[in-house]
Amino acid sequence: MACSINGKAIAAFATFCTVLVYLAVGAAIFQAIEESHENEQRKSYEDELHTLLQGVDEDFHDELKAPCHMVEVLQATPNITNSWTFAPTVIFCLTVVTTIGYGYMYPVTDEGRGFCIFFALIGIPLFMACLAVYAQHTANLIRWIMKKLGLTNGLEDEQTEKMQQLITAAFCLTVILTFSGYLSYKENWDYSDSVYFTFISFTTIGFGDLYPSSNTTDFHIIFICFLILGLISLGTVIEAQTTNFGNLLRTISSSCDCLCKNRCFGGDRVPVDE
């Protein structure tokens, strides 16, 4: 048993490390492809601004640069206002393999778009496999804690399963509320907006109508950790609810079958000719 548990733990850790390496390599390639194009865009803007300011008194340069920069931001693609540096690019790669796709960054070069297709084709199933492994480990860990605390004593299997689902849901809610509080503090968002963004992210809906503007390394690390933790915890809850709905639909189907048989045959057994 110990060897089996250790083997599963090693396999899970190896899968997680593979995902991290895949994200890092993908981010490095995207950065190499898109950052040069981004620099060309910025240089083009600087050249146009320089041409615009020629012949204008230097005393008015600062006054003119501010509105020109505002026009650049308003007309910019996301790649101008969100730099393809390494940390944001890792988050971009994570949104690709998780299918969140906020839309705040996207490749604009033919090479970048082609690589994005290749990256997604491998990355999405790889991440989903990792997510399934850790969702199962999370469920096993919760069951183990319940047994250690004696919460399962005297309970039937069905009652134990329901208690496990409640604990998992409480853990997921804690992650959502905690991350929402952090976002509300860092971004000066309303708490309701933070909860909305967190839920949209953890469910991989990813509308993109809200996105954090913080660009520090510590924020990126915390963002990635909470996003992965939220996907695992909410994925476990959704999987459990999918099973519950499946059982409910089977019960309804069985009830409908019995009702139809009773109405058609009056509840009597239909003789079969030998």
Side-chain angles (χ1 to χ4, degrees):
M1 178 64 71
C3 293
S4 175
I5 293 175
N6 291 336
K8 290 179 180 180
I10 292 173
F13 180 73
T15 304
F16 183 71
C17 290
T18 301
V19 171
L20 290 182
V21 171
Y22 189 76
L23 291 175
V25 172
I29 295 175
F30 273 116
Q31 184 180 6
I33 295 173
E34 296 295 327
E35 193 173 32
S36 60
H37 182 268
E38 179 186 58
N39 291 336
E40 290 176 3
Q41 285 182 306
R42 292 183 183 278
K43 186 177 184 303
S44 176
Y45 162 74
E46 293 293 340
D47 291 342
E48 290 178 4
L49 181 61
H50 178 72
T51 302
L52 178 65
L53 294 179
Q54 282 183 344
V56 178
D57 194 305
E58 292 186 3
D59 294 337
F60 298 98
H61 281 196
D62 291 338
E63 286 79 2
L64 288 174
K65 283 182 179 180
C68 287
H69 179 67
M70 286 301 298
V71 171
E72 180 211 18
V73 171
L74 291 173
Q75 295 181 345
T77 63
N79 294 334
I80 294 179
T81 55
N82 292 280
S83 178
W84 285 87
T85 53
F86 185 72
T89 308
V90 171
I91 295 179
F92 164 76
C93 290
L94 186 60
T95 64
V96 171
V97 300
T98 57
T99 70
I100 295 175
Y102 292 117
Y104 74 106
M105 288 176 68
Y106 51 78
V108 295
T109 63
D110 292 337
E111 297 85 353
R113 289 172 175 174
F115 178 70
C116 187
I117 295 173
F118 171 79
F119 183 80
L121 284 175
I122 298 177
I124 292 173
L126 175 62
F127 185 82
M128 293 305 168
C130 180
L131 195 65
V133 168
Y134 275 88
Q136 185 60 51
H137 276 278
T138 301
N140 294 338
L141 176 62
I142 291 175
R143 279 196 295 269
W144 180 81
I145 293 174
M146 288 170 59
K147 289 181 180 179
K148 287 296 182 181
L149 295 177
L151 299 178
T152 60
N153 294 339
L155 295 180
E156 297 180 357
D157 291 342
E158 185 176 352
Q159 293 174 319
T160 301
E161 184 69 22
K162 289 188 179 297
M163 178 178 288
Q164 179 183 341
Q165 291 179 9
L166 287 174
I167 294 175
T168 304
F171 172 70
C172 178
L173 183 61
T174 301
V175 174
I176 291 174
L177 296 180
T178 303
F179 187 45
S180 300
Y182 176 74
L183 287 174
S184 180
Y185 168 74
K186 289 290 290 186
E187 298 295 316
N188 292 321
W189 287 352
D190 291 337
Y191 191 71
S192 58
D193 289 340
S194 299
V195 172
Y196 165 78
F197 172 80
T198 302
F199 182 80
I200 292 300
S201 299
F202 289 176
T203 52
T204 73
I205 296 173
F207 287 128
D209 51 341
L210 286 175
Y211 190 78
S213 59
S214 297
N215 198 31
T216 59
T217 302
D218 60 334
F219 176 81
H220 291 145
I221 293 174
I222 293 173
F223 185 91
I224 291 172
C225 291
F226 265 108
L227 188 58
I228 293 175
L229 184 61
L231 288 168
I232 292 172
S233 59
L234 190 57
T236 306
V237 172
I238 292 175
E239 182 182 4
Q241 294 308 310
T242 301
T243 302
N244 291 338
F245 278 116
N247 294 335
L248 177 62
L249 289 175
R250 281 192 291 271
T251 301
I252 294 173
S253 177
S254 299
S255 300
C256 290
D257 286 342
C258 293
L259 182 62
C260 288
K261 288 178 181 178
N262 288 333
R263 284 189 175 183
C264 292
F265 305 114
D268 297 326
R269 187 171 184 177
V270 179
V272 178
D273 295 333
E274 296 182 359

